[in-house]
Amino acid sequence: MQVHRLRHLFSRALRASLATPLVLAGCGSNTTGLEDYGPIACDDDVPAVSDLKISPTPDYLQLRLLHSDYEPPSFEGKAAFGEACSTASDVPACQEALGATVPGEGFHHSCFQLCADYFLATTRGDEVKTYSTLESLKGLLGTIDTAQEATLVAFAAGYKVSCEHLDRGAVRQNPDGTFNVVGTKGYLCGEGTEVTQHVVEVSASGEVREREQHVLEKGTGTCAVGRRPVGLQVAGDCDSADAMGRYFAEVAHLEAASIHAFLRLRKELALHGAGPDLQAAALASAVDEVLHADVTGRLARRFGASPPPPAVAELPMRPLAEVARDNAVEGCVRETYGALVAHHQALHARDAGVREAMVRIAEDETRHAGLSWDIDRWARSRLSPQERDALRESQRHAVALLREEVATPLDAGLITEAGLPTPEVALALLDTLEQELWA
């Protein structure tokens, strides 16, 4: 088993990385043209509901994240203002109704592994109401005459608004009484993806008009490192304004995809005569990935995102040479590096929940990487010289692509809270692996 060698190598690589300066290569806000704009008022990483001029005034408002795929549907309370049921004649009954009132749909809709929408819940006296469409929200707000009302309308219309970066979340009032809101659409997860800045005008009646659109970032490579199954389709949009949410949604997506990868690997190992130990290890790895997908999915939802479900095309079983090349790229390169990064996160993540999750995941992924190298050694002895040359070239190409991916600047919060290595540290980690494993 190569896992013991990997543990020793990872330990040395992590010690060496401590000598690399920690430079926060964040996505700093590009505020060009936004000098007259102010930041979005937020509460729990969503637009705040404290500056809404509603008549008659409710006792309580809460913006809720709806999970309509749950049975029964459920919600998470987000931004809130006021005291629930404070003027109700029967407070317990009002509170019970408030907790039980869950609509079947909402606004700011996204639907991936779980469907996620938002709705607004209010209480006034004994009355409990929900507003789950853009039109009903506009009816509640009446005339849009505050920046926060305009922001909430743009959010309900499907625009993500950042609480930290002006180029992704900002608002201003125009001389004619309308408001401009800056938000984004899109995501970064592989070639062909992008995050687009949108400047929309919100009128007094709540009409939303597009005024400008600019591409802020383009996706490159893949959205995370790990063993991707052959036939994996491009993921859907991760509809979250929070970098931590987007990151863990992408990770959970690949963890779920890895279940398919290991189940297929077990079948192909059996087809080509691998021993029962390798087959059993592949199956055990698939079981591990079920847990990883659940853990990282819960982290994603904690940060306001839902992981896109993996779509994997059914393809015929492959010749051994193709299985070996895929294992060399996805296992010996990407999964090996991913295991090392997981150990880095387990040591450096400031967020306790992330740190706890990565301790378990790091050890499992190290075993998976060890399995990849065990399969590599078994397969190479059964390949022709030409096939072994092709395998080495594929591995070299995978390392070069990985270098390009990890050199991309990261959001500063992913470095501090999620414990991801800076590009400088990531390249140092890759250097160690290349010298010891991929040379």
Side-chain angles (χ1 to χ4, degrees):
M1 291 288 289
Q2 297 294 314
V3 65
H4 303 298
R5 179 190 177 198
L6 289 179
R7 288 194 186 105
H8 179 69
L9 176 58
F10 288 172
S11 178
R12 286 198 292 111
L14 290 168
R15 286 199 302 271
S17 73
L18 294 177
T20 303
L22 180 63
V23 179
L24 296 183
C27 321
S29 297
N30 175 9
T31 57
T32 302
L34 300 177
E35 293 81 3
D36 298 332
Y37 286 77
I40 300 296
C42 287
D43 181 6
D44 199 10
D45 294 322
V46 295
V49 295
S50 55
D51 187 27
L52 307 182
K53 294 183 178 179
I54 299 172
S55 182
T57 304
D59 301 324
Y60 178 74
L61 304 95
Q62 185 179 52
L63 185 61
R64 294 175 165 184
L65 174 62
L66 171 68
H67 295 300
S68 57
D69 272 359
Y70 285 173
E71 188 54 47
S74 66
F75 67 85
E76 299 173 32
K78 305 294 282 186
F81 182 72
E83 183 179 351
C85 303
S86 60
T87 64
S89 60
D90 187 341
V91 173
C94 174
Q95 291 175 338
E96 182 179 359
L98 181 63
T101 304
V102 183
E105 62 178 2
F107 48 73
H108 196 86
H109 175 76
S110 62
C111 199
F112 305 110
Q113 189 170 4
L114 295 174
C115 287
D117 311 71
Y118 288 82
F119 68 98
L120 195 68
T122 67
T123 70
R124 187 171 68 87
D126 293 316
E127 184 180 62
V128 175
K129 284 190 172 183
T130 60
Y131 303 84
S132 57
T133 67
L134 175 59
E135 290 306 313
S136 67
L137 176 66
K138 288 160 58 175
L140 171 69
L141 296 176
T143 302
I144 306 302
D145 51 10
T146 73
Q148 208 53 31
E149 290 177 345
T151 298
L152 188 58
V153 168
F155 177 80
Y159 296 94
K160 293 173 278 190
V161 289
S162 171
C163 301
E164 299 177 356
H165 304 296
L166 284 182
D167 60 350
R168 297 166 189 252
V171 61
R172 80 172 185 200
Q173 186 168 15
N174 300 318
D176 63 357
T178 63
F179 291 85
N180 277 13
V181 179
V182 176
T184 63
K185 288 187 176 182
Y187 63 102
L188 299 178
C189 187
E191 296 287 352
T193 61
E194 61 187 25
V195 171
T196 307
Q197 178 195 73
H198 296 260
V199 180
V200 300
E201 180 186 87
V202 182
S203 70
S205 63
E207 184 177 358
V208 179
R209 299 186 183 92
E210 286 264 3
R211 292 305 187 196
E212 297 179 41
Q213 180 176 326
H214 311 280
V215 175
L216 291 179
E217 293 183 78
K218 287 184 174 291
T220 59
T222 186
C223 56
V225 280
R227 183 181 281 266
R228 301 164 298 187
V230 60
L232 179 64
Q233 307 299 302
V234 174
D237 187 356
C238 173
D239 193 8
S240 172
D242 187 272
M244 292 281 281
R246 292 193 301 272
Y247 168 73
F248 279 108
E250 293 162 2
V251 171
H253 167 75
L254 278 201
E255 295 286 12
S258 293
I259 301 169
H260 298 267
F262 280 114
L263 291 176
R264 180 187 179 91
L265 178 61
R266 177 176 178 266
K267 291 180 181 179
E268 291 181 322
L269 289 172
L271 175 66
H272 295 296
D277 54 339
L278 293 180
Q279 296 181 47
L283 180 58
S285 297
V287 174
D288 289 338
E289 299 294 8
V290 174
L291 174 64
H292 298 179
D294 177 66
V295 169
T296 54
R298 281 190 277 115
L299 284 172
R301 289 186 287 277
R302 176 185 149 201
F303 293 109
S306 292
V312 182
E314 289 288 342
L315 298 174
M317 295 291 102
R318 299 167 295 176
L320 178 59
E322 290 185 25
V323 175
R325 282 200 300 273
D326 184 63
N327 179 72
V329 170
E330 298 299 323
C332 297
V333 175
R334 301 191 65 82
E335 194 160 37
T336 298
Y337 176 71
L340 177 53
V341 169
H343 281 285
H344 188 280
Q345 292 179 268
L347 289 171
H348 295 282
R350 187 164 65 186
D351 186 285
V354 173
R355 201 165 57 246
E356 180 181 351
M358 298 316 297
V359 167
R360 167 64 186 271
I361 290 175
E363 180 56 30
D364 290 345
E365 295 295 349
T366 302
R367 288 200 314 276
H368 301 175
L371 171 62
S372 300
W373 288 96
D374 290 337
I375 292 172
D376 183 75
R377 182 172 57 183
W378 168 80
R380 281 177 186 266
S381 65
R382 290 161 173 79
L383 300 179
S384 69
Q386 294 79 12
E387 289 170 334
R388 287 195 292 271
D389 288 342
L391 187 151
R392 282 190 291 270
E393 182 57 34
S394 295
Q395 193 173 75
R396 282 195 292 268
H397 182 62
V399 173
L401 287 178
L402 190 54
R403 281 192 173 279
E404 293 180 9
E405 290 178 32
V406 304
T408 303
L410 294 176
D411 182 278
L414 295 180
I415 295 169
T416 56
E417 297 301 317
L420 286 174
T422 65
E424 293 80 9
V425 171
L427 291 170
L429 295 175
L430 275 177
D431 285 340
T432 301
L433 295 183
E434 187 162 22
Q435 292 164 11
E436 298 287 340
L437 295 175
W438 303 325

